[in-house]
Amino acid sequence: MSVRVRFAPSPTGPLHMGGVRTALYNYLFAKKHHGVFLLRIEDTDQNRFVPGAGEYIMESLKWCGINHDEGPDTGGPYSPYLQSERKALYKDYALQLIGDGHAYYAFDTPAELEAMRKRLETEKSGNPQYDCQTRMHMNNSLTLPPDEVKRRIDAGEAHVIRIKIPEGQEVVVNDLIRDQVRVDSRLLDDKVLFKSDGMPTYHLANVVDDYLMKITHVIRGEEWLPSAPLHVLLYRYLGWKESMPEFAHLPLLLKPDGHGKLSKRDGDRLGFPVFPLEWKDPSSGEISPGYRESGYFPEAFVNMLALLGWNPGTEQEIFTMKELTEAFSLERVGKSGARFDPDKAKWFNHQYLQQKDPEDIAALFIEQLKKHGHQASGKKLARIISLVRDRVNFVDEIWDQAAFFFEPPESYDEKFAKKKWKAGTPDILLQLVEMLRDIEPFDTGHIEKALHAFMEEKEIGAGQIMPGLRLALVGAGRGPDVKEIMSVLGKDEVKRRIQRVVDRLGKNGRSS
Ligand code: GLU
């Protein structure tokens, strides 16, 4: 039997990073087993539908490289993949359940349901829910005479269809991550399967579609574990026990500090995105940041997510999508929640920034450079990027580290100058300027040799020349190797900068 898995988000808002991880694990599992990964949009809850959310989900997955084989945009043998377009097919299954005595019509109005809840709360008789204890006191096809039920339906009275949860049974969910989860059926409520608006609820549509789409493994977030016993019963009652998929409920993503599920509020509070892409709430206009817009590489984001809940069993942390596909297994997904660490997310981006072809980074950096009014060839930029990238996590941090390659220092770090600029420094630097003339070609190797020769001839140590030279070129005591900086700047610019620092700092090292 070939593996078929699905990611089945509801378009009720932007996709949380936990949702992206669910999609990723499904994708990796499918690819590992040479199976199919499909995307199904579960949009049957019209009250919670948010315009643009479906498109957002698809764009997010695309950005991450989590590509589906079947879906609303790509089509496939089990089309349509948008549940609202499948509306017509669910009702028959609900009616089948009624016919077999596993479901019933319920006519209770919202006020009646509320009254039931209030009554049970004051009686303190367990869960105030519609279940085997309460159903016989309500208005439904189990309590009303058949002709009355028919009359009400024919008259178009609002009604729903509820599952009839069996009494006193133990429902067993076999979970690949949690082993066996056993639930006493008395704790389950008679969930609505079909609503008065003619739409199925999540539970019915989800199970019917998983069956019709031949899903072999349901891999989803832990928040769906409480619904799994109901789904197991639905498979049984619909006569699909043999084709029931295997379940794997993934651990929650936890807050970086403290306990509980990672939420958007944690992101706002601690300053990191929880969504893959920027999201503008269509009703409030509020903008939530995205990983993409914050400068993360999709590979880094995906790599980070892969390790939040799954571990490869080795020390390896950097994985390409292909490597993840080969290494992934549900056996190595943990049971306990995975704490999200925003610094680790940055660390992953840093790693990818070091690994990437500098020319590719140059193509991204060039936009920033233009904003600062400069231009440079891709080759030159690639060289500069190679020199400074170990100091940054994001492309937009490069300018701060590389600005001196494009603009001579406006000022000189006073603290550094005070410590390192000596009365003899101007003289030494000016003598160096003389010597620069002979360095040909002006590349790192020749510069290094010449500097050595110069120090030997003048009988001075590196400490007497290098700090001053660095101050001249960078304006501070930081930056990459001085020889590299010199060769990028070129002979004339190095001379100009030395003259400039000497003019400004003179013998006492204080800017004039
Ligand atoms: N539509 C559900 C959601 O929003 C799908 C849950 C499942 O995968 O069964 O997450």
XYZ file of all heavy atoms in Angstrom, residues 124-191:
546
model
N -24.151 20.287 39.051
C -22.771 19.758 39.170
C -22.692 18.270 38.839
O -22.028 17.487 39.530
C -22.204 20.004 40.577
C -22.026 21.455 40.939
C -20.756 21.625 41.755
C -20.405 23.037 42.145
N -21.124 24.154 41.656
N -23.429 17.900 37.799
C -23.445 16.468 37.477
C -22.499 16.164 36.325
O -22.890 15.736 35.256
C -24.862 16.026 37.139
O -25.360 16.864 36.117
N -21.249 16.430 36.526
C -20.247 16.102 35.505
C -20.172 17.158 34.433
O -20.492 18.332 34.658
N -19.766 16.744 33.254
C -19.591 17.665 32.134
C -20.926 18.175 31.621
O -21.792 17.363 31.294
C -18.914 16.927 30.979
C -17.422 17.014 31.102
O -16.908 17.811 31.870
N -16.719 16.172 30.350
N -21.097 19.473 31.530
C -22.354 19.946 30.939
C -22.291 19.798 29.422
O -22.023 20.742 28.706
C -22.402 21.413 31.370
C -21.002 21.798 31.645
C -20.217 20.561 31.927
N -22.478 18.633 28.941
C -22.387 18.441 27.488
C -23.522 17.551 26.979
O -24.169 16.835 27.728
C -21.020 17.849 27.121
C -20.761 16.478 27.743
C -19.384 15.924 27.367
O -18.535 16.650 26.878
N -19.180 14.638 27.566
N -23.706 17.610 25.685
C -24.746 16.835 25.016
C -24.172 15.429 24.837
O -23.307 15.205 24.014
C -25.019 17.478 23.662
C -26.414 17.309 23.110
C -27.220 18.416 22.854
C -26.920 16.041 22.817
C -28.493 18.277 22.327
C -28.208 15.893 22.301
C -28.984 17.021 22.061
O -30.238 16.868 21.542
N -24.629 14.490 25.642
C -24.026 13.152 25.564
C -25.029 12.075 25.983
O -26.229 12.359 26.100
C -22.752 13.097 26.417
C -23.005 13.403 27.885
O -24.197 13.434 28.293
O -22.032 13.627 28.623
N -24.530 10.893 26.264
C -25.440 9.787 26.558
C -26.276 10.047 27.814
O -27.360 9.496 27.968
C -24.659 8.477 26.668
S -23.371 8.528 27.914
N -25.792 10.928 28.699
C -26.545 11.242 29.917
C -27.662 12.245 29.649
O -28.695 12.204 30.288
C -25.615 11.892 30.950
C -24.287 11.255 31.092
C -24.156 10.582 32.448
O -25.085 10.590 33.258
N -23.018 9.970 32.678
N -27.398 13.145 28.732
C -28.344 14.254 28.564
C -29.230 14.115 27.331
O -30.298 14.721 27.273
C -27.570 15.589 28.435
O -26.472 15.369 27.541
C -27.049 16.046 29.758
N -28.820 13.343 26.379
C -29.537 13.353 25.095
C -31.019 12.987 25.238
O -31.845 13.477 24.480
C -28.843 12.450 24.076
C -28.815 10.973 24.413
C -28.371 10.116 23.218
N -26.950 10.044 23.043
C -26.204 8.940 23.296
N -26.746 7.827 23.762
N -24.925 8.962 23.066
N -31.363 12.157 26.210
C -32.753 11.727 26.320
C -33.655 12.806 26.933
O -34.856 12.643 27.047
C -32.853 10.418 27.122
C -32.188 9.229 26.425
S -32.572 9.084 24.659
C -34.195 8.352 24.722
N -33.050 13.929 27.351
C -33.842 15.044 27.877
C -33.937 16.174 26.864
O -34.380 17.264 27.206
C -33.203 15.583 29.166
C -32.987 14.522 30.188
N -34.037 13.963 30.902
C -31.874 13.883 30.588
C -33.544 13.022 31.710
N -32.231 12.959 31.525
N -33.472 15.931 25.653
C -33.430 17.016 24.681
C -34.387 16.745 23.527
O -35.019 15.702 23.457
C -31.993 17.196 24.160
C -30.927 17.393 25.238
S -31.157 18.864 26.266
C -30.773 20.163 25.104
N -34.468 17.729 22.622
C -35.393 17.621 21.484
C -34.701 16.969 20.307
O -34.088 17.645 19.490
C -35.801 19.028 21.031
C -36.963 19.534 21.809
O -37.847 18.754 22.185
N -36.967 20.829 22.071
N -34.803 15.684 20.188
C -34.117 15.034 19.072
C -34.886 13.806 18.603
O -35.918 13.449 19.191
C -32.688 14.693 19.478
C -32.638 13.879 20.750
O -33.387 12.902 20.869
N -31.814 14.282 21.697
N -34.375 13.177 17.588
C -35.134 12.059 17.009
C -35.081 10.819 17.889
O -35.689 9.803 17.568
C -34.646 11.743 15.589
O -33.255 11.492 15.587
N -34.367 10.903 19.006
C -34.379 9.777 19.957
C -35.515 9.965 20.964
O -35.995 8.997 21.565
C -33.044 9.693 20.711
C -31.789 9.548 19.860
C -30.534 9.617 20.727
C -31.820 8.230 19.085
N -35.924 11.225 21.159
C -36.962 11.491 22.169
C -38.316 11.831 21.545
O -39.344 11.629 22.170
C -36.535 12.669 23.075
O -36.290 13.804 22.233
C -35.278 12.349 23.871
N -38.311 12.349 20.334
C -39.572 12.758 19.698
C -40.142 11.596 18.876
O -39.376 10.781 18.347
C -39.340 13.951 18.765
C -38.837 15.248 19.418
C -38.367 16.227 18.352
C -39.951 15.864 20.260
N -41.448 11.520 18.739
C -42.031 10.463 17.912
C -41.618 10.641 16.447
O -41.439 11.786 15.995
C -43.539 10.654 18.070
C -43.745 11.776 19.002
C -42.448 12.399 19.351
N -41.481 9.540 15.691
C -41.002 9.620 14.301
C -41.818 10.578 13.428
O -41.242 11.316 12.620
C -41.133 8.181 13.799
C -41.127 7.333 15.033
C -41.683 8.154 16.141
N -43.134 10.608 13.598
C -43.914 11.497 12.720
C -43.657 12.961 13.046
O -43.688 13.831 12.185
C -45.412 11.137 12.746
C -45.970 11.081 14.163
O -45.142 11.003 15.114
O -47.197 11.131 14.321
N -43.367 13.234 14.313
C -43.047 14.611 14.719
C -41.692 15.023 14.121
O -41.512 16.142 13.636
C -43.019 14.672 16.251
C -42.470 15.949 16.863
C -43.342 17.179 16.657
O -44.457 17.033 16.105
O -42.888 18.294 17.007
N -40.773 14.080 14.134
C -39.449 14.350 13.556
C -39.617 14.673 12.073
O -39.096 15.660 11.553
C -38.513 13.126 13.738
C -37.219 13.309 12.958
C -38.224 12.899 15.213
N -40.403 13.865 11.386
C -40.613 14.051 9.950
C -41.288 15.404 9.684
O -40.923 16.137 8.769
C -41.467 12.891 9.414
C -41.605 12.919 7.909
C -42.266 11.668 7.378
C -42.417 11.683 5.871
N -42.890 12.905 5.263
N -42.286 15.691 10.539
C -43.010 16.950 10.349
C -42.046 18.146 10.461
O -42.067 19.039 9.639
C -44.126 17.061 11.397
C -45.091 18.214 11.154
C -45.944 18.524 12.355
N -45.212 18.924 13.555
C -44.631 20.109 13.729
N -44.660 21.020 12.799
N -43.996 20.363 14.857
N -41.225 18.087 11.481
C -40.300 19.213 11.699
C -39.320 19.365 10.531
O -39.018 20.479 10.102
C -39.494 18.999 12.985
C -40.334 19.182 14.232
C -39.437 19.149 15.444
N -40.202 19.270 16.677
C -39.723 19.832 17.776
N -38.508 20.297 17.794
N -40.457 19.901 18.863
N -38.819 18.223 10.061
C -37.854 18.292 8.949
C -38.541 18.811 7.689
O -38.037 19.717 7.011
C -37.191 16.916 8.711
C -36.289 16.586 9.908
C -36.368 16.909 7.423
C -35.693 15.203 9.894
N -39.727 18.262 7.409
C -40.469 18.701 6.213
C -40.810 20.190 6.286
O -40.861 20.885 5.270
C -41.757 17.876 6.049
C -41.440 16.425 5.672
O -40.266 16.163 5.305
O -42.332 15.559 5.762
N -41.031 20.672 7.506
C -41.389 22.093 7.662
C -40.146 22.985 7.608
O -40.243 24.198 7.741
C -42.125 22.280 8.992
N -38.999 22.367 7.431
C -37.760 23.159 7.301
C -37.256 23.698 8.620
O -36.515 24.682 8.656
N -37.639 23.059 9.715
C -37.161 23.520 11.020
C -35.650 23.275 11.135
O -35.160 22.208 10.727
C -37.890 22.746 12.124
C -37.758 23.401 13.484
C -38.681 22.729 14.498
O -39.907 22.629 14.244
O -38.156 22.293 15.523
N -34.952 24.265 11.713
C -33.486 24.139 11.818
C -33.107 22.916 12.652
O -33.660 22.700 13.730
C -32.904 25.393 12.464
N -32.195 22.132 12.130
C -31.757 20.962 12.876
C -30.330 20.582 12.497
O -29.838 20.992 11.447
C -32.698 19.778 12.613
C -32.683 19.334 11.182
N -33.449 19.943 10.213
C -31.983 18.363 10.550
C -33.223 19.353 9.047
N -32.325 18.391 9.222
N -29.735 19.819 13.380
C -28.387 19.306 13.096
C -28.430 17.779 13.167
O -29.431 17.210 13.583
C -27.346 19.833 14.125
C -27.251 21.341 14.094
C -27.668 19.338 15.541
N -27.343 17.143 12.758
C -27.227 15.693 12.943
C -26.069 15.464 13.908
O -24.970 15.995 13.708
C -26.988 14.972 11.594
C -28.188 15.190 10.675
C -26.726 13.480 11.824
C -28.017 14.650 9.261
N -26.351 14.712 14.959
C -25.324 14.420 15.968
C -24.955 12.954 15.964
O -25.805 12.097 15.710
C -25.837 14.760 17.376
C -25.961 16.232 17.665
C -26.457 16.452 19.089
N -26.602 17.872 19.357
C -25.640 18.645 19.859
N -24.465 18.119 20.162
N -25.852 19.926 20.068
N -23.715 12.664 16.273
C -23.317 11.265 16.432
C -23.879 10.747 17.752
O -24.001 11.505 18.727
C -21.785 11.101 16.397
C -21.428 9.614 16.406
C -21.106 11.823 17.566
C -20.009 9.286 16.040
N -24.238 9.471 17.759
C -24.702 8.863 19.008
C -23.539 8.047 19.586
O -23.261 6.926 19.151
C -25.898 7.948 18.696
C -26.606 7.472 19.929
C -27.855 6.684 19.536
C -28.329 5.842 20.702
N -29.093 4.691 20.238
N -22.853 8.670 20.522
C -21.680 8.025 21.134
C -22.166 6.833 21.976
O -23.118 6.973 22.734
C -20.923 9.053 22.008
C -20.345 10.188 21.161
C -19.835 8.378 22.860
C -19.108 9.862 20.361
N -21.532 5.682 21.829
C -21.988 4.521 22.592
C -21.693 4.691 24.087
O -20.804 5.443 24.453
C -21.135 3.385 22.012
C -19.892 4.053 21.554
C -20.308 5.411 21.073
N -22.449 3.995 24.880
C -22.245 4.091 26.333
C -21.251 3.037 26.791
O -21.233 1.931 26.259
C -23.569 3.842 27.039
C -24.247 5.111 27.487
C -25.594 4.821 28.104
O -25.615 4.453 29.284
O -26.605 4.959 27.382
N -20.470 3.398 27.783
C -19.624 2.412 28.456
C -18.684 1.609 27.577
O -18.492 0.417 27.773
N -18.125 2.258 26.586
C -17.129 1.550 25.756
C -15.773 2.198 25.934
O -15.686 3.389 26.209
C -17.507 1.667 24.281
C -18.425 0.577 23.819
C -18.524 0.601 22.293
O -17.617 1.043 21.599
N -19.643 0.110 21.794
N -14.752 1.412 25.719
C -13.435 2.009 25.706
C -13.033 2.190 24.241
O -13.057 1.217 23.486
C -12.448 1.100 26.422
C -11.143 1.788 26.663
C -10.173 0.900 27.431
O -9.981 -0.253 27.029
O -9.622 1.390 28.409
N -12.732 3.415 23.877
C -12.315 3.650 22.489
C -10.785 3.730 22.470
O -10.191 4.471 23.257
C -12.929 4.950 21.923
C -12.620 5.091 20.440
C -14.428 4.985 22.159
N -10.187 2.957 21.582
C -8.724 2.905 21.544
C -8.216 3.595 20.283
O -8.650 3.290 19.177
C -8.240 1.436 21.551
C -6.707 1.386 21.527
C -8.784 0.711 22.769
N -7.316 4.536 20.479
C -6.653 5.172 19.338
C -5.213 4.678 19.325
O -4.495 4.862 20.308
C -6.666 6.715 19.475
C -5.988 7.359 18.277
C -8.070 7.243 19.658
N -4.818 4.045 18.262
C -3.421 3.634 18.139
C -2.652 4.779 17.513
O -2.936 5.183 16.393
C -3.308 2.393 17.246
C -3.781 1.175 17.995
O -3.411 0.956 19.146
N -4.637 0.390 17.366
N -1.723 5.296 18.275
C -0.989 6.450 17.779
C 0.486 6.081 17.617
O 1.076 5.466 18.500
C -1.134 7.610 18.772
C -0.629 8.909 18.197
O 0.596 9.162 18.253
O -1.449 9.674 17.668
N 1.051 6.453 16.489
C 2.437 6.071 16.210
C 3.424 6.777 17.129
O 4.551 6.328 17.289
C 2.781 6.374 14.746
C 2.023 5.519 13.730
C 2.239 6.050 12.317
C 2.465 4.069 13.814
N 2.991 7.878 17.717
C 3.900 8.609 18.599
C 3.582 8.335 20.074
O 4.456 8.207 20.898
C 3.851 10.116 18.273
C 4.406 10.328 16.850
C 4.645 10.936 19.281
C 4.157 11.667 16.266
N 2.305 8.200 20.356
C 1.894 8.023 21.756
C 1.457 6.606 22.102
O 0.849 6.379 23.143
C 0.676 8.922 22.022
C 1.070 10.269 22.365
C 0.071 11.254 21.809
N 0.843 12.347 21.282
C 1.392 13.263 22.051
N 1.214 13.259 23.338
N 2.114 14.203 21.515
N 1.672 5.678 21.209
C 1.197 4.294 21.381
C -0.325 4.269 21.493
O -0.981 4.904 20.710
C 1.879 3.626 22.583
C 3.388 3.631 22.418
O 3.835 3.507 21.262
O 4.099 3.803 23.409
N -0.824 3.586 22.555
C -2.286 3.477 22.636
C -2.864 4.545 23.550
O -2.407 4.739 24.656
C -2.642 2.109 23.202
C -2.598 1.052 22.133
C -3.369 -0.181 22.550
O -3.593 -0.427 23.722
N -3.777 -0.955 21.573
N -3.876 5.219 23.027
C -4.592 6.181 23.858
C -5.984 5.606 24.056
O -6.686 5.301 23.082
C -4.659 7.560 23.152
C -5.413 8.558 24.000
C -3.253 8.063 22.834
N -6.381 5.402 25.299
C -7.683 4.785 25.588
C -8.593 5.807 26.232
O -8.183 6.504 27.158
C -7.511 3.603 26.551
C -6.683 2.494 25.965
C -6.267 1.488 27.017
N -5.623 0.381 26.348
C -6.286 -0.652 25.828
N -7.594 -0.743 25.961
N -5.639 -1.598 25.192
N -9.813 5.871 25.736
C -10.764 6.852 26.272
C -12.087 6.163 26.575
O -12.599 5.383 25.760
C -11.006 7.993 25.251
C -11.921 9.049 25.840
C -9.692 8.630 24.834
N -12.627 6.478 27.732
C -13.947 5.981 28.122
C -14.989 6.775 27.322
O -14.999 8.004 27.369
C -14.107 6.225 29.624
C -15.431 5.702 30.146
O -16.351 5.475 29.325
O -15.524 5.532 31.373
N -15.836 6.057 26.609
C -16.763 6.766 25.712
C -17.709 7.702 26.469
O -18.277 8.625 25.884
C -17.571 5.759 24.883
O -18.444 5.035 25.721
N -17.865 7.486 27.771
C -18.753 8.364 28.532
C -18.232 9.806 28.584
O -18.970 10.734 28.846
C -18.921 7.838 29.955
C -20.320 7.273 30.171
C -20.421 6.624 31.495
N -19.256 5.765 31.700
C -19.044 5.052 32.809
N -19.892 5.106 33.791
N -17.970 4.284 32.916
N -16.941 9.950 28.328
C -16.362 11.293 28.367
C -16.578 12.047 27.053
O -16.339 13.245 26.960
C -14.859 11.207 28.648
C -14.485 10.596 29.999
C -12.986 10.396 30.094
C -14.994 11.485 31.130
N -17.004 11.313 26.039
C -17.163 11.950 24.723
C -18.566 12.528 24.587
O -19.524 11.967 25.129
C -16.919 10.919 23.610
C -15.570 10.191 23.654
C -15.507 9.134 22.553
C -14.429 11.194 23.488
N -18.673 13.612 23.848
C -20.022 14.179 23.644
C -20.532 13.839 22.253
O -19.770 13.427 21.373
C -20.031 15.686 23.910
C -19.143 16.460 22.969
O -18.147 15.883 22.482
O -19.428 17.637 22.704
N -21.825 14.003 22.106
C -22.465 13.710 20.824
C -22.203 14.877 19.872
O -23.058 15.740 19.660
C -23.979 13.508 21.022
C -24.301 12.215 21.756
O -23.378 11.433 22.046
O -25.495 11.978 22.034
N -21.057 14.902 19.298
C -20.655 16.029 18.439
C -21.590 16.179 17.243
O -22.090 15.192 16.697
C -19.237 15.798 17.912
C -18.162 16.125 18.915
C -17.613 17.489 18.658
C -16.568 17.990 19.617
N -16.594 17.631 20.995
